Amino acid sequence: MAASYISVPRDLTKVKSKIVFNLTKRQIICFSVAAIFGLPTFFLIKQVASTTAAAMGMMVIMMPFFFLAMYEKNGEYLEVILGHLIEATFIRPKQRPYRTDNNYSALERYIKAQKEVDKIVQASIERGEKRSGHAKASD
């Protein structure tokens, strides 16, 4: 007698709860929406064209919903992947400048800023001495 084994995933967070006919809630909703749009399309096209053309039209309407229900890559569903694609292609700038910030350049910027502050303070002190010296000379 052959022993049968059932594979159990190591990471149980990836297991999805099945509701009806071994389908998840997401799949049931997407298939229902596909049926809501696809069946009326079939009957409308069938009135003006052949059954084959009506079936093809129904499949064209229903396929995006099937992809939304079934496609998943790296734990992300199709709409998330499409959102990333649209953002990378149309929203974000095409060229991203390469910028680094190491400790040495940060230290150089700090020293440069400190020298500018020292110049401003020194100039302020010199102006203060001139004013006080000018005031004393007029007394």
Side-chain angles (χ1 to χ4, degrees), residues 58-133:
M58 179 182 71
M59 284 192 291
V60 167
I61 297 294
M62 294 174 82
M63 287 308 284
F65 298 107
F66 290 151
F67 284 133
L68 284 172
M70 302 301 292
Y71 188 79
E72 180 180 351
K73 185 174 183 180
N74 298 328
E76 293 183 339
Y77 292 109
L78 183 62
E79 68 269 11
V80 176
I81 295 170
L82 289 175
H84 292 315
L85 181 70
I86 290 169
E87 185 177 350
T89 306
F90 300 112
I91 298 172
R92 288 189 182 158
K94 300 293 181 243
Q95 290 185 347
R96 296 185 295 168
Y98 180 73
R99 294 185 189 131
T100 61
D101 189 23
N102 59 20
N103 292 336
Y104 182 72
S105 63
L107 185 62
E108 284 180 336
R109 287 193 308 269
Y110 174 76
I111 291 171
K112 183 179 176 182
Q114 190 63 38
K115 286 180 181 178
E116 289 179 18
V117 169
D118 290 343
K119 281 183 184 178
I120 293 170
V121 169
Q122 187 64 30
S124 173
I125 290 172
E126 289 175 1
R127 277 185 293 188
E129 289 175 358
K130 287 181 182 177
R131 287 182 187 163
S132 63

Side-chain angles (χ1 to χ4, degrees), residues 5-12 15:
Y5 294 99
I6 298 173
S7 64
V8 177
R10 292 180 185 234
D11 187 9
L12 295 178
V15 176

Side-chain angles (χ1 to χ4, degrees), residues 13-31:
T13 59
K14 294 181 181 178
V15 176
K16 295 179 175 56
S17 60
K18 309 292 183 178
I19 298 175
V20 179
F21 301 119
N22 206 20
L23 297 173
T24 63
K25 183 171 60 171
R26 174 189 182 84
Q27 291 169 342
I28 291 171
I29 291 170
C30 288
F31 290 160

